[in-house]
Amino acid sequence: MRRVALVTLVVDDYDEAIRFYTEALGFRLAADEPRPDGSRWVVVEPGDSHGTGLLLARAKGEDQRARIGDQTGGRVGFFLHTDDFARDHARMTAAGVTFLEEPRHEPYGSVAVFQDLYGNRWDLLQPAD
């Protein structure tokens, strides 16, 4: 095995999720293809990396809708690494991203918890050298 290619993130609406991840977080839209069942195959990826992408999957049914925004039980479930914490924190703040704390400088790096448009918690993290 070489890497985890995709992680599914259950969303309420494809287009609003695409806007958030591409405009507010700076991800790129890697795929947006219709499927025969009326759903779409939507993948966003950070930057131009070949790391793990997010498969944005519109919720089907009440069980899936109930998990939107709380896929990890309130814990930070996603970790977005950066090579310039101050730049990306400022850009994301200006784009309306909600940070749940002030930036911290820990032995492992600079970090701040933010939430996506549905309430999932993320770390913006610049690892220490």
Side-chain angles (χ1 to χ4, degrees), residues 20-40:
F20 177 81
Y21 286 98
T22 60
E23 295 175 13
L25 298 191
F27 285 27
R28 73 177 188 89
L29 181 61
D32 186 357
E33 303 163 6
R35 299 189 57 193
D37 66 358
S39 65
R40 290 159 55 186

Side-chain angles (χ1 to χ4, degrees), residues 45-92:
E45 298 174 339
D48 59 359
S49 73
H50 296 286
T52 303
L54 293 177
L55 174 64
L56 304 178
R58 187 179 63 205
K60 293 181 183 176
E62 288 307 311
D63 285 344
Q64 290 182 15
R65 268 191 280 289
R67 286 163 176 76
I68 293 172
D70 192 27
Q71 293 190 176
T72 59
R75 294 185 60 104
V76 171
F78 307 95
F79 300 82
L80 184 59
H81 283 196
T82 178
D83 60 359
D84 188 332
F85 181 88
R87 174 199 66 209
D88 290 335
H89 183 269
R91 182 187 54 75
M92 291 166 63

